[in-house]
Amino acid sequence: MRIYVTSVYVDDQDKALSFYTGKLGFEVKADVPVGEHRWLTVVSPADPDGCELLLEPDAHPAAKPFKAALVDDGVPLTSFYVDDVEAEYERLRGLGVRFTQEPLRMGDVTTAVLDDTCGNLIQILHKPGLVKQ
């Protein structure tokens, strides 16, 4: 069994698409109209056939309170692996991305937490050997 798709609830799919592609560097995998919304997924250009991230509208009544509770507590919704947290932090800050946690080293793991502009906190992390190249 493998993970095929995972979701982040977003308050605006167009804004999310701009952020996740224009700032984070993901690429569109699927963009299919589904009623008033879209089945809109992005993937890492380093793994275009890998796990898709669904930019899912937060239209369900539970989604907005769930997102707000996580943000209020400073809890990231999900984590993305990067090769160098400090370099990615500087690159993203240069693009205007707001971080709620600067790079922090905890043993052999380094993390930072950013605001995705769509109601979520996202952690970027690096741990040597975690991802096979």
Side-chain angles (χ1 to χ4, degrees):
M1 188 176 301
R2 294 186 229 174
I3 298 171
Y4 163 69
V5 66
T6 190
S7 302
V8 292
Y9 291 112
V10 299
D11 56 14
D12 180 306
Q13 285 186 300
D14 289 324
K15 181 173 68 170
L17 181 60
S18 177
F19 182 84
Y20 280 82
T21 59
K23 306 277 184 177
L24 298 186
F26 292 110
E27 296 176 346
V28 175
K29 178 77 172 195
D31 189 351
V32 179
V34 182
E36 65 182 270
H37 302 293
R38 295 147 48 196
W39 178 265
L40 180 58
T41 66
V42 295
V43 293
S44 167
D47 191 9
D49 295 321
C51 185
E52 297 176 40
L53 180 66
L54 176 62
L55 305 179
E56 187 165 357
D58 63 4
H60 187 281
K64 287 180 179 139
F66 170 71
K67 287 170 43 180
L70 290 177
V71 170
D72 288 348
D73 288 345
V75 176
L77 177 68
T78 194
S79 298
F80 300 145
Y81 179 85
V82 297
D83 290 329
D84 184 329
V85 171
E86 289 85 1
E88 196 65 14
Y89 171 81
E90 292 301 332
R91 182 186 78 80
L92 291 170
R93 282 201 36 191
L95 294 173
V97 174
R98 186 179 77 83
F99 280 79
T100 61
Q101 177 201 300
E102 294 182 0
L104 176 65
R105 186 164 187 130
M106 298 169 281
D108 64 348
V109 176
T110 304
T111 66
V113 178
L114 62 90
D115 178 341
D116 78 349
T117 74
C118 302
N120 303 292
L121 299 178
I122 305 294
Q123 178 175 261
I124 59 172
L125 72 93
H126 177 81
K127 177 179 180 181
L130 184 64
V131 173
K132 294 182 173 128
Q133 304 296 339

